[in-house]
Amino acid sequence: QVQLVQSGAEVKKPGASVKVSCRAFGYTFTDYYINWVRQAPGQGLEWMGRINPNTGGTNFAQKFQARVTLTRDASVSTSYMEMSRLRSDDTAVYYCARDRGYFYDSRGYHARWYFDLWGRGSLVTVFS
Amino acid sequence: QSALTQPASVSGSPGQSITISCTGTSSDVGAYKYVSWYQQHPGKAPKLIIYDVTKRPSGVSDRFSGSKSANTASLTISGLQAEDEADYYCTSYSSSPTYVFGTGTRVTVL
């Protein structure tokens, strides 16, 4: 079954780090980018950044550039989001979601700039 | 970069049509045909309902439709049903950052 399975809930103290995982099942892991999107309680969705599982290349929304690291382990089809120097306002559900971006095949150039598969989310609570 | 602007709430009676707007800039919504819409029920992950401004994924009701004019995209829900009560978010591809989300709209079925 095609799905993204995320790690469980975490409770952290301010100043600590957290690492959330997102494992892909049912498709070729390196064919799709993995994005990270967060949602604070009662708030909207916020795009954080994205990793190319094939090359490891990343790009970020500016506000997350300094504190977030995205990595991947293709051998287990898993992407990781690590956030450092946690604050209380980092309390949120963190989602991973895939997109295909742009790619070439025998029929030419294609663009798939949307999230067609989401994980269920991982709740991170920052609490002193 | 600022979030795309959506109305905080929209409501309608069963069977009616409603439209949700999503206003961006000439750097995101106005520049690309890559606007998508997501439906989120409470406690659930978002679900893709519209991509590339007007396209519906397989399995999504044809009561959902999308459009765009200049810097504003729109989602229309026709024949409103109780199950459509949810939060809706637009997003657009952008040159930098890669994606920007809308502020979100709560749809209430009266």
mmCIF file of all heavy atoms in Angstrom, chain A residues 35 37 39 43-47 50 59-61 95 99 109 111-116 118-120, chain B residues 1 34 36 38 40 43-48 50-52 89 91 93 97-103:
data_model
loop_
_atom_site.group_PDB
_atom_site.id
_atom_site.type_symbol
_atom_site.label_atom_id
_atom_site.label_comp_id
_atom_site.label_asym_id
_atom_site.label_seq_id
_atom_site.Cartn_x
_atom_site.Cartn_y
_atom_site.Cartn_z
ATOM 1 N N ASN A 35 8.501 16.571 1.508
ATOM 2 C CA ASN A 35 8.327 17.882 2.118
ATOM 3 C C ASN A 35 7.937 17.728 3.582
ATOM 4 O O ASN A 35 7.359 16.718 3.975
ATOM 5 C CB ASN A 35 7.190 18.634 1.411
ATOM 6 C CG ASN A 35 7.493 18.938 -0.036
ATOM 7 O OD1 ASN A 35 7.911 20.029 -0.382
ATOM 8 N ND2 ASN A 35 7.275 17.945 -0.904
ATOM 9 N N VAL A 37 5.778 19.804 6.550
ATOM 10 C CA VAL A 37 4.758 20.835 6.761
ATOM 11 C C VAL A 37 4.330 20.751 8.218
ATOM 12 O O VAL A 37 4.104 19.653 8.728
ATOM 13 C CB VAL A 37 3.538 20.579 5.843
ATOM 14 C CG1 VAL A 37 2.432 21.601 6.115
ATOM 15 C CG2 VAL A 37 3.949 20.606 4.373
ATOM 16 N N GLN A 39 1.819 22.222 11.569
ATOM 17 C CA GLN A 39 0.548 22.838 11.918
ATOM 18 C C GLN A 39 0.477 22.993 13.431
ATOM 19 O O GLN A 39 0.302 22.008 14.146
ATOM 20 C CB GLN A 39 -0.623 22.004 11.392
ATOM 21 C CG GLN A 39 -1.974 22.651 11.578
ATOM 22 C CD GLN A 39 -3.061 21.900 10.836
ATOM 23 O OE1 GLN A 39 -3.059 20.667 10.762
ATOM 24 N NE2 GLN A 39 -4.008 22.629 10.267
ATOM 25 N N GLN A 43 -4.005 26.265 14.230
ATOM 26 C CA GLN A 43 -3.448 27.152 13.203
ATOM 27 C C GLN A 43 -3.422 26.472 11.835
ATOM 28 O O GLN A 43 -3.842 25.315 11.688
ATOM 29 C CB GLN A 43 -2.033 27.582 13.592
ATOM 30 C CG GLN A 43 -1.949 28.285 14.929
ATOM 31 C CD GLN A 43 -2.782 29.541 14.989
ATOM 32 O OE1 GLN A 43 -2.675 30.414 14.117
ATOM 33 N NE2 GLN A 43 -3.657 29.634 15.986
ATOM 34 N N GLY A 44 -2.914 27.200 10.840
ATOM 35 C CA GLY A 44 -2.874 26.690 9.484
ATOM 36 C C GLY A 44 -1.618 25.891 9.181
ATOM 37 O O GLY A 44 -0.771 25.653 10.037
ATOM 38 N N LEU A 45 -1.533 25.479 7.933
ATOM 39 C CA LEU A 45 -0.393 24.697 7.460
ATOM 40 C C LEU A 45 0.756 25.623 7.078
ATOM 41 O O LEU A 45 0.540 26.703 6.515
ATOM 42 C CB LEU A 45 -0.806 23.861 6.245
ATOM 43 C CG LEU A 45 -1.959 22.890 6.465
ATOM 44 C CD1 LEU A 45 -2.403 22.272 5.135
ATOM 45 C CD2 LEU A 45 -1.571 21.798 7.448
ATOM 46 N N GLU A 46 1.959 25.159 7.353
ATOM 47 C CA GLU A 46 3.150 25.979 7.088
ATOM 48 C C GLU A 46 4.221 25.095 6.444
ATOM 49 O O GLU A 46 4.663 24.111 7.051
ATOM 50 C CB GLU A 46 3.661 26.588 8.387
ATOM 51 C CG GLU A 46 4.841 27.524 8.242
ATOM 52 C CD GLU A 46 5.191 28.187 9.561
ATOM 53 O OE1 GLU A 46 4.940 27.606 10.634
ATOM 54 O OE2 GLU A 46 5.740 29.296 9.520
ATOM 55 N N TRP A 47 4.643 25.436 5.230
ATOM 56 C CA TRP A 47 5.679 24.665 4.555
ATOM 57 C C TRP A 47 7.031 24.994 5.145
ATOM 58 O O TRP A 47 7.399 26.156 5.296
ATOM 59 C CB TRP A 47 5.671 24.985 3.058
ATOM 60 C CG TRP A 47 6.626 24.155 2.268
ATOM 61 C CD1 TRP A 47 6.466 22.859 1.864
ATOM 62 C CD2 TRP A 47 7.910 24.562 1.786
ATOM 63 N NE1 TRP A 47 7.571 22.437 1.156
ATOM 64 C CE2 TRP A 47 8.467 23.462 1.101
ATOM 65 C CE3 TRP A 47 8.653 25.739 1.872
ATOM 66 C CZ2 TRP A 47 9.725 23.500 0.488
ATOM 67 C CZ3 TRP A 47 9.899 25.795 1.271
ATOM 68 C CH2 TRP A 47 10.421 24.684 0.584
ATOM 69 N N ARG A 50 12.133 20.863 2.056
ATOM 70 C CA ARG A 50 11.959 19.752 1.129
ATOM 71 C C ARG A 50 13.312 19.105 0.870
ATOM 72 O O ARG A 50 14.340 19.798 0.853
ATOM 73 C CB ARG A 50 11.408 20.367 -0.150
ATOM 74 C CG ARG A 50 11.130 19.554 -1.339
ATOM 75 C CD ARG A 50 10.512 20.488 -2.370
ATOM 76 N NE ARG A 50 10.060 19.807 -3.559
ATOM 77 C CZ ARG A 50 10.657 19.903 -4.729
ATOM 78 N NH1 ARG A 50 11.753 20.637 -4.858
ATOM 79 N NH2 ARG A 50 10.165 19.272 -5.784
ATOM 80 N N ASN A 59 15.935 22.389 0.223
ATOM 81 C CA ASN A 59 15.659 23.812 0.270
ATOM 82 C C ASN A 59 14.597 24.062 1.336
ATOM 83 O O ASN A 59 13.828 23.155 1.677
ATOM 84 C CB ASN A 59 15.279 24.404 -1.081
ATOM 85 C CG ASN A 59 14.067 23.789 -1.699
ATOM 86 O OD1 ASN A 59 14.004 22.582 -1.879
ATOM 87 N ND2 ASN A 59 13.090 24.607 -2.030
ATOM 88 N N PHE A 60 14.633 25.285 1.863
ATOM 89 C CA PHE A 60 13.856 25.593 3.061
ATOM 90 C C PHE A 60 13.120 26.917 2.930
ATOM 91 O O PHE A 60 13.549 27.814 2.201
ATOM 92 C CB PHE A 60 14.789 25.722 4.270
ATOM 93 C CG PHE A 60 15.482 24.453 4.656
ATOM 94 C CD1 PHE A 60 16.726 24.150 4.151
ATOM 95 C CD2 PHE A 60 14.880 23.564 5.524
ATOM 96 C CE1 PHE A 60 17.366 22.987 4.494
ATOM 97 C CE2 PHE A 60 15.512 22.397 5.881
ATOM 98 C CZ PHE A 60 16.752 22.104 5.365
ATOM 99 N N ALA A 61 12.036 27.044 3.692
ATOM 100 C CA ALA A 61 11.474 28.353 3.965
ATOM 101 C C ALA A 61 12.472 29.078 4.862
ATOM 102 O O ALA A 61 13.098 28.462 5.739
ATOM 103 C CB ALA A 61 10.124 28.225 4.665
ATOM 104 N N TYR A 95 3.955 17.149 9.569
ATOM 105 C CA TYR A 95 3.583 16.211 8.510
ATOM 106 C C TYR A 95 4.716 16.084 7.490
ATOM 107 O O TYR A 95 5.386 17.082 7.165
ATOM 108 C CB TYR A 95 2.353 16.707 7.749
ATOM 109 C CG TYR A 95 1.062 16.753 8.510
ATOM 110 C CD1 TYR A 95 0.576 17.942 9.043
ATOM 111 C CD2 TYR A 95 0.292 15.598 8.679
ATOM 112 C CE1 TYR A 95 -0.635 17.995 9.728
ATOM 113 C CE2 TYR A 95 -0.913 15.640 9.362
ATOM 114 C CZ TYR A 95 -1.362 16.834 9.876
ATOM 115 O OH TYR A 95 -2.560 16.870 10.556
ATOM 116 N N ASP A 99 6.049 15.110 -3.147
ATOM 117 C CA ASP A 99 5.721 15.706 -4.447
ATOM 118 C C ASP A 99 6.731 15.205 -5.466
ATOM 119 O O ASP A 99 7.821 14.766 -5.105
ATOM 120 C CB ASP A 99 5.681 17.245 -4.392
ATOM 121 C CG ASP A 99 7.058 17.893 -4.427
ATOM 122 O OD1 ASP A 99 7.701 17.889 -5.491
ATOM 123 O OD2 ASP A 99 7.486 18.410 -3.381
ATOM 124 N N TYR A 109 9.155 16.625 -20.614
ATOM 125 C CA TYR A 109 9.221 17.313 -19.323
ATOM 126 C C TYR A 109 7.854 17.303 -18.651
ATOM 127 O O TYR A 109 6.836 17.530 -19.289
ATOM 128 C CB TYR A 109 9.680 18.746 -19.575
ATOM 129 C CG TYR A 109 9.533 19.672 -18.398
ATOM 130 C CD1 TYR A 109 10.576 19.842 -17.496
ATOM 131 C CD2 TYR A 109 8.355 20.390 -18.186
ATOM 132 C CE1 TYR A 109 10.447 20.705 -16.416
ATOM 133 C CE2 TYR A 109 8.222 21.254 -17.118
ATOM 134 C CZ TYR A 109 9.274 21.409 -16.241
ATOM 135 O OH TYR A 109 9.148 22.251 -15.186
ATOM 136 N N ALA A 111 5.768 18.453 -14.783
ATOM 137 C CA ALA A 111 5.822 19.180 -13.512
ATOM 138 C C ALA A 111 4.679 18.705 -12.632
ATOM 139 O O ALA A 111 3.531 18.660 -13.072
ATOM 140 C CB ALA A 111 5.724 20.681 -13.740
ATOM 141 N N ARG A 112 5.011 18.340 -11.403
ATOM 142 C CA ARG A 112 4.012 17.850 -10.449
ATOM 143 C C ARG A 112 4.225 18.574 -9.124
ATOM 144 O O ARG A 112 4.800 18.026 -8.180
ATOM 145 C CB ARG A 112 4.153 16.341 -10.251
ATOM 146 C CG ARG A 112 4.030 15.511 -11.519
ATOM 147 C CD ARG A 112 2.602 15.360 -11.969
ATOM 148 N NE ARG A 112 2.518 14.427 -13.105
ATOM 149 C CZ ARG A 112 2.538 14.788 -14.372
ATOM 150 N NH1 ARG A 112 2.665 16.082 -14.701
ATOM 151 N NH2 ARG A 112 2.430 13.887 -15.332
ATOM 152 N N TRP A 113 3.784 19.818 -9.099
ATOM 153 C CA TRP A 113 4.017 20.640 -7.920
ATOM 154 C C TRP A 113 2.803 20.610 -6.995
ATOM 155 O O TRP A 113 2.069 21.593 -6.849
ATOM 156 C CB TRP A 113 4.360 22.077 -8.326
ATOM 157 C CG TRP A 113 5.624 22.180 -9.100
ATOM 158 C CD1 TRP A 113 5.738 22.416 -10.432
ATOM 159 C CD2 TRP A 113 6.958 22.012 -8.593
ATOM 160 N NE1 TRP A 113 7.067 22.419 -10.790
ATOM 161 C CE2 TRP A 113 7.830 22.179 -9.701
ATOM 162 C CE3 TRP A 113 7.503 21.766 -7.333
ATOM 163 C CZ2 TRP A 113 9.215 22.091 -9.552
ATOM 164 C CZ3 TRP A 113 8.877 21.681 -7.196
ATOM 165 C CH2 TRP A 113 9.714 21.836 -8.297
ATOM 166 N N TYR A 114 2.599 19.471 -6.371
ATOM 167 C CA TYR A 114 1.529 19.327 -5.390
ATOM 168 C C TYR A 114 1.829 18.112 -4.525
ATOM 169 O O TYR A 114 2.638 17.254 -4.873
ATOM 170 C CB TYR A 114 0.165 19.173 -6.076
ATOM 171 C CG TYR A 114 0.119 18.111 -7.161
ATOM 172 C CD1 TYR A 114 -0.104 16.774 -6.854
ATOM 173 C CD2 TYR A 114 0.285 18.465 -8.498
ATOM 174 C CE1 TYR A 114 -0.145 15.823 -7.851
ATOM 175 C CE2 TYR A 114 0.250 17.507 -9.501
ATOM 176 C CZ TYR A 114 0.041 16.198 -9.171
ATOM 177 O OH TYR A 114 0.010 15.249 -10.162
ATOM 178 N N PHE A 115 1.150 18.037 -3.380
ATOM 179 C CA PHE A 115 1.383 16.976 -2.405
ATOM 180 C C PHE A 115 0.285 15.927 -2.549
ATOM 181 O O PHE A 115 -0.841 16.147 -2.111
ATOM 182 C CB PHE A 115 1.378 17.547 -0.985
ATOM 183 C CG PHE A 115 2.239 18.779 -0.813
ATOM 184 C CD1 PHE A 115 1.697 19.960 -0.364
ATOM 185 C CD2 PHE A 115 3.588 18.735 -1.115
ATOM 186 C CE1 PHE A 115 2.477 21.097 -0.212
ATOM 187 C CE2 PHE A 115 4.393 19.864 -0.972
ATOM 188 C CZ PHE A 115 3.826 21.049 -0.516
ATOM 189 N N ASP A 116 0.624 14.804 -3.166
ATOM 190 C CA ASP A 116 -0.410 13.813 -3.430
ATOM 191 C C ASP A 116 -0.472 12.700 -2.383
ATOM 192 O O ASP A 116 -1.363 11.858 -2.434
ATOM 193 C CB ASP A 116 -0.240 13.209 -4.828
ATOM 194 C CG ASP A 116 1.030 12.390 -4.981
ATOM 195 O OD1 ASP A 116 1.930 12.519 -4.118
ATOM 196 O OD2 ASP A 116 1.134 11.633 -5.965
ATOM 197 N N TRP A 118 0.299 12.122 1.975
ATOM 198 C CA TRP A 118 0.690 12.708 3.248
ATOM 199 C C TRP A 118 0.853 11.611 4.301
ATOM 200 O O TRP A 118 0.143 10.608 4.283
ATOM 201 C CB TRP A 118 -0.391 13.664 3.752
ATOM 202 C CG TRP A 118 -0.574 14.907 2.938
ATOM 203 C CD1 TRP A 118 -1.098 15.001 1.671
ATOM 204 C CD2 TRP A 118 -0.257 16.237 3.336
ATOM 205 N NE1 TRP A 118 -1.121 16.304 1.269
ATOM 206 C CE2 TRP A 118 -0.618 17.079 2.271
ATOM 207 C CE3 TRP A 118 0.283 16.805 4.487
ATOM 208 C CZ2 TRP A 118 -0.445 18.469 2.321
ATOM 209 C CZ3 TRP A 118 0.439 18.187 4.544
ATOM 210 C CH2 TRP A 118 0.087 19.002 3.468
ATOM 211 N N GLY A 119 1.753 11.848 5.259
ATOM 212 C CA GLY A 119 1.782 11.028 6.451
ATOM 213 C C GLY A 119 0.673 11.473 7.401
ATOM 214 O O GLY A 119 0.003 12.484 7.171
ATOM 215 N N ARG A 120 0.481 10.730 8.474
ATOM 216 C CA ARG A 120 -0.583 11.047 9.434
ATOM 217 C C ARG A 120 -0.192 12.142 10.414
ATOM 218 O O ARG A 120 -1.036 12.638 11.160
ATOM 219 C CB ARG A 120 -0.968 9.799 10.208
ATOM 220 C CG ARG A 120 -1.712 8.775 9.380
ATOM 221 C CD ARG A 120 -2.251 7.668 10.258
ATOM 222 N NE ARG A 120 -3.127 6.766 9.516
ATOM 223 C CZ ARG A 120 -3.811 5.773 10.052
ATOM 224 N NH1 ARG A 120 -3.743 5.543 11.336
ATOM 225 N NH2 ARG A 120 -4.579 5.012 9.292
ATOM 226 N N GLN B 1 8.460 35.093 3.095
ATOM 227 C CA GLN B 1 7.347 35.316 2.170
ATOM 228 C C GLN B 1 6.022 35.132 2.890
ATOM 229 O O GLN B 1 5.884 34.235 3.719
ATOM 230 C CB GLN B 1 7.436 34.349 1.000
ATOM 231 C CG GLN B 1 6.375 34.601 -0.068
ATOM 232 C CD GLN B 1 6.663 33.851 -1.350
ATOM 233 O OE1 GLN B 1 7.596 33.070 -1.413
ATOM 234 N NE2 GLN B 1 5.862 34.071 -2.371
ATOM 235 N N TYR B 34 0.469 26.252 -10.979
ATOM 236 C CA TYR B 34 0.621 25.167 -10.003
ATOM 237 C C TYR B 34 -0.020 25.518 -8.671
ATOM 238 O O TYR B 34 0.638 25.535 -7.630
ATOM 239 C CB TYR B 34 2.101 24.832 -9.827
ATOM 240 C CG TYR B 34 2.792 24.501 -11.118
ATOM 241 C CD1 TYR B 34 3.937 25.189 -11.526
ATOM 242 C CD2 TYR B 34 2.296 23.505 -11.960
ATOM 243 C CE1 TYR B 34 4.563 24.891 -12.718
ATOM 244 C CE2 TYR B 34 2.926 23.204 -13.161
ATOM 245 C CZ TYR B 34 4.058 23.903 -13.534
ATOM 246 O OH TYR B 34 4.670 23.610 -14.720
ATOM 247 N N SER B 36 -2.733 24.297 -5.895
ATOM 248 C CA SER B 36 -3.436 23.098 -5.443
ATOM 249 C C SER B 36 -4.264 23.431 -4.208
ATOM 250 O O SER B 36 -4.014 24.432 -3.531
ATOM 251 C CB SER B 36 -2.455 21.953 -5.157
ATOM 252 O OG SER B 36 -1.409 22.360 -4.295
ATOM 253 N N TYR B 38 -6.331 21.641 -0.682
ATOM 254 C CA TYR B 38 -6.349 20.528 0.241
ATOM 255 C C TYR B 38 -7.527 20.671 1.195
ATOM 256 O O TYR B 38 -7.822 21.771 1.658
ATOM 257 C CB TYR B 38 -5.026 20.450 1.023
ATOM 258 C CG TYR B 38 -3.849 20.320 0.087
ATOM 259 C CD1 TYR B 38 -3.276 21.450 -0.478
ATOM 260 C CD2 TYR B 38 -3.361 19.074 -0.286
ATOM 261 C CE1 TYR B 38 -2.243 21.345 -1.391
ATOM 262 C CE2 TYR B 38 -2.324 18.955 -1.195
ATOM 263 C CZ TYR B 38 -1.781 20.094 -1.749
ATOM 264 O OH TYR B 38 -0.765 19.979 -2.662
ATOM 265 N N GLN B 40 -9.004 19.368 4.864
ATOM 266 C CA GLN B 40 -8.548 18.777 6.122
ATOM 267 C C GLN B 40 -9.697 18.696 7.112
ATOM 268 O O GLN B 40 -10.224 19.724 7.552
ATOM 269 C CB GLN B 40 -7.395 19.581 6.719
ATOM 270 C CG GLN B 40 -6.791 18.921 7.955
ATOM 271 C CD GLN B 40 -5.659 19.722 8.564
ATOM 272 O OE1 GLN B 40 -5.671 20.943 8.563
ATOM 273 N NE2 GLN B 40 -4.661 19.021 9.103
ATOM 274 N N GLY B 43 -8.356 16.649 13.083
ATOM 275 C CA GLY B 43 -7.525 15.543 13.516
ATOM 276 C C GLY B 43 -6.977 14.666 12.413
ATOM 277 O O GLY B 43 -6.345 13.634 12.693
ATOM 278 N N LYS B 44 -7.189 15.071 11.175
ATOM 279 C CA LYS B 44 -6.734 14.262 10.035
ATOM 280 C C LYS B 44 -5.677 15.004 9.233
ATOM 281 O O LYS B 44 -5.538 16.224 9.327
ATOM 282 C CB LYS B 44 -7.912 13.935 9.114
ATOM 283 C CG LYS B 44 -9.032 13.166 9.789
ATOM 284 C CD LYS B 44 -8.586 11.778 10.198
ATOM 285 C CE LYS B 44 -9.746 10.954 10.721
ATOM 286 N NZ LYS B 44 -9.304 9.595 11.155
ATOM 287 N N ALA B 45 -4.952 14.241 8.421
ATOM 288 C CA ALA B 45 -3.996 14.850 7.506
ATOM 289 C C ALA B 45 -4.734 15.505 6.349
ATOM 290 O O ALA B 45 -5.846 15.093 5.992
ATOM 291 C CB ALA B 45 -3.023 13.794 6.983
ATOM 292 N N PRO B 46 -4.151 16.530 5.752
ATOM 293 C CA PRO B 46 -4.763 17.134 4.561
ATOM 294 C C PRO B 46 -4.873 16.121 3.427
ATOM 295 O O PRO B 46 -4.096 15.166 3.341
ATOM 296 C CB PRO B 46 -3.779 18.258 4.203
ATOM 297 C CG PRO B 46 -3.067 18.560 5.473
ATOM 298 C CD PRO B 46 -2.940 17.236 6.170
ATOM 299 N N LYS B 47 -5.842 16.383 2.547
ATOM 300 C CA LYS B 47 -6.089 15.537 1.381
ATOM 301 C C LYS B 47 -6.130 16.420 0.136
ATOM 302 O O LYS B 47 -6.831 17.438 0.117
ATOM 303 C CB LYS B 47 -7.427 14.803 1.542
ATOM 304 C CG LYS B 47 -7.877 14.032 0.311
ATOM 305 C CD LYS B 47 -9.303 13.543 0.478
ATOM 306 C CE LYS B 47 -9.835 12.933 -0.801
ATOM 307 N NZ LYS B 47 -11.274 12.561 -0.696
ATOM 308 N N LEU B 48 -5.419 16.033 -0.892
ATOM 309 C CA LEU B 48 -5.405 16.767 -2.161
ATOM 310 C C LEU B 48 -6.751 16.645 -2.852
ATOM 311 O O LEU B 48 -7.249 15.538 -3.064
ATOM 312 C CB LEU B 48 -4.300 16.201 -3.060
ATOM 313 C CG LEU B 48 -4.172 16.796 -4.467
ATOM 314 C CD1 LEU B 48 -3.670 18.237 -4.399
ATOM 315 C CD2 LEU B 48 -3.223 15.934 -5.313
ATOM 316 N N ILE B 50 -7.614 19.383 -5.494
ATOM 317 C CA ILE B 50 -7.416 20.069 -6.779
ATOM 318 C C ILE B 50 -5.918 20.291 -6.968
ATOM 319 O O ILE B 50 -5.229 20.665 -6.016
ATOM 320 C CB ILE B 50 -8.135 21.432 -6.838
ATOM 321 C CG1 ILE B 50 -9.656 21.267 -6.796
ATOM 322 C CG2 ILE B 50 -7.707 22.235 -8.075
ATOM 323 C CD1 ILE B 50 -10.280 20.731 -8.078
ATOM 324 N N TYR B 51 -5.412 20.068 -8.185
ATOM 325 C CA TYR B 51 -4.028 20.397 -8.496
ATOM 326 C C TYR B 51 -3.964 21.063 -9.871
ATOM 327 O O TYR B 51 -4.913 20.980 -10.655
ATOM 328 C CB TYR B 51 -3.128 19.155 -8.425
ATOM 329 C CG TYR B 51 -3.422 18.102 -9.482
ATOM 330 C CD1 TYR B 51 -2.688 18.042 -10.660
ATOM 331 C CD2 TYR B 51 -4.436 17.150 -9.287
ATOM 332 C CE1 TYR B 51 -2.946 17.079 -11.616
ATOM 333 C CE2 TYR B 51 -4.701 16.189 -10.238
ATOM 334 C CZ TYR B 51 -3.938 16.154 -11.407
ATOM 335 O OH TYR B 51 -4.196 15.198 -12.355
ATOM 336 N N ASP B 52 -2.850 21.727 -10.139
ATOM 337 C CA ASP B 52 -2.675 22.456 -11.387
ATOM 338 C C ASP B 52 -3.884 23.343 -11.691
ATOM 339 O O ASP B 52 -4.405 23.367 -12.818
ATOM 340 C CB ASP B 52 -2.420 21.494 -12.550
ATOM 341 C CG ASP B 52 -1.089 20.769 -12.451
ATOM 342 O OD1 ASP B 52 -0.314 21.088 -11.521
ATOM 343 O OD2 ASP B 52 -0.819 19.876 -13.262
ATOM 344 N N TYR B 89 -7.259 24.528 2.367
ATOM 345 C CA TYR B 89 -6.038 25.298 2.189
ATOM 346 C C TYR B 89 -5.631 25.294 0.714
ATOM 347 O O TYR B 89 -5.647 24.240 0.069
ATOM 348 C CB TYR B 89 -4.887 24.691 3.000
ATOM 349 C CG TYR B 89 -5.095 24.755 4.484
ATOM 350 C CD1 TYR B 89 -5.728 23.729 5.165
ATOM 351 C CD2 TYR B 89 -4.638 25.854 5.211
ATOM 352 C CE1 TYR B 89 -5.919 23.793 6.541
ATOM 353 C CE2 TYR B 89 -4.824 25.926 6.591
ATOM 354 C CZ TYR B 89 -5.462 24.896 7.245
ATOM 355 O OH TYR B 89 -5.650 24.961 8.596
ATOM 356 N N THR B 91 -2.403 26.155 -1.933
ATOM 357 C CA THR B 91 -0.969 26.333 -1.949
ATOM 358 C C THR B 91 -0.524 26.589 -3.372
ATOM 359 O O THR B 91 -1.196 26.201 -4.323
ATOM 360 C CB THR B 91 -0.220 25.136 -1.330
ATOM 361 O OG1 THR B 91 1.151 25.471 -1.156
ATOM 362 C CG2 THR B 91 -0.311 23.918 -2.211
ATOM 363 N N TYR B 93 3.020 26.795 -6.010
ATOM 364 C CA TYR B 93 4.454 26.748 -6.260
ATOM 365 C C TYR B 93 4.940 28.196 -6.316
ATOM 366 O O TYR B 93 4.245 29.097 -6.771
ATOM 367 C CB TYR B 93 4.726 26.041 -7.587
ATOM 368 C CG TYR B 93 6.178 26.070 -7.997
ATOM 369 C CD1 TYR B 93 7.099 25.204 -7.422
ATOM 370 C CD2 TYR B 93 6.632 26.974 -8.952
ATOM 371 C CE1 TYR B 93 8.433 25.229 -7.799
ATOM 372 C CE2 TYR B 93 7.960 27.014 -9.323
ATOM 373 C CZ TYR B 93 8.853 26.136 -8.745
ATOM 374 O OH TYR B 93 10.174 26.186 -9.114
ATOM 375 N N PRO B 97 10.056 30.782 -1.340
ATOM 376 C CA PRO B 97 10.392 29.377 -1.166
ATOM 377 C C PRO B 97 9.636 28.509 -2.175
ATOM 378 O O PRO B 97 8.833 29.031 -2.927
ATOM 379 C CB PRO B 97 9.924 29.085 0.261
ATOM 380 C CG PRO B 97 8.758 29.996 0.445
ATOM 381 C CD PRO B 97 9.105 31.242 -0.300
ATOM 382 N N THR B 98 9.853 27.212 -2.118
ATOM 383 C CA THR B 98 9.258 26.360 -3.135
ATOM 384 C C THR B 98 7.737 26.382 -3.091
ATOM 385 O O THR B 98 7.087 26.362 -4.131
ATOM 386 C CB THR B 98 9.770 24.920 -2.988
ATOM 387 O OG1 THR B 98 11.185 24.933 -3.070
ATOM 388 C CG2 THR B 98 9.212 24.026 -4.088
ATOM 389 N N TYR B 99 7.187 26.384 -1.891
ATOM 390 C CA TYR B 99 5.735 26.382 -1.734
ATOM 391 C C TYR B 99 5.323 27.430 -0.712
ATOM 392 O O TYR B 99 6.049 27.711 0.237
ATOM 393 C CB TYR B 99 5.245 25.026 -1.217
ATOM 394 C CG TYR B 99 5.354 23.878 -2.191
ATOM 395 C CD1 TYR B 99 6.377 22.946 -2.082
ATOM 396 C CD2 TYR B 99 4.427 23.719 -3.220
ATOM 397 C CE1 TYR B 99 6.477 21.878 -2.969
ATOM 398 C CE2 TYR B 99 4.516 22.655 -4.110
ATOM 399 C CZ TYR B 99 5.533 21.745 -3.972
ATOM 400 O OH TYR B 99 5.626 20.692 -4.851
ATOM 401 N N VAL B 100 4.128 27.968 -0.924
ATOM 402 C CA VAL B 100 3.523 28.827 0.075
ATOM 403 C C VAL B 100 2.070 28.409 0.239
ATOM 404 O O VAL B 100 1.364 28.175 -0.745
ATOM 405 C CB VAL B 100 3.658 30.317 -0.313
ATOM 406 C CG1 VAL B 100 3.027 30.617 -1.656
ATOM 407 C CG2 VAL B 100 3.117 31.212 0.768
ATOM 408 N N PHE B 101 1.643 28.281 1.500
ATOM 409 C CA PHE B 101 0.266 27.881 1.798
ATOM 410 C C PHE B 101 -0.625 29.101 1.992
ATOM 411 O O PHE B 101 -0.165 30.187 2.340
ATOM 412 C CB PHE B 101 0.219 27.048 3.080
ATOM 413 C CG PHE B 101 0.483 25.589 2.869
ATOM 414 C CD1 PHE B 101 1.738 25.064 3.112
ATOM 415 C CD2 PHE B 101 -0.520 24.744 2.443
ATOM 416 C CE1 PHE B 101 1.984 23.702 2.930
ATOM 417 C CE2 PHE B 101 -0.285 23.394 2.250
ATOM 418 C CZ PHE B 101 0.969 22.870 2.495
ATOM 419 N N GLY B 102 -1.919 28.872 1.807
ATOM 420 C CA GLY B 102 -2.900 29.871 2.180
ATOM 421 C C GLY B 102 -3.167 29.836 3.678
ATOM 422 O O GLY B 102 -2.757 28.907 4.380
ATOM 423 N N THR B 103 -3.868 30.844 4.147
ATOM 424 C CA THR B 103 -4.153 30.980 5.573
ATOM 425 C C THR B 103 -5.221 30.011 6.066
ATOM 426 O O THR B 103 -5.360 29.806 7.267
ATOM 427 C CB THR B 103 -4.590 32.411 5.895
ATOM 428 O OG1 THR B 103 -5.616 32.803 4.962
ATOM 429 C CG2 THR B 103 -3.412 33.375 5.771
#
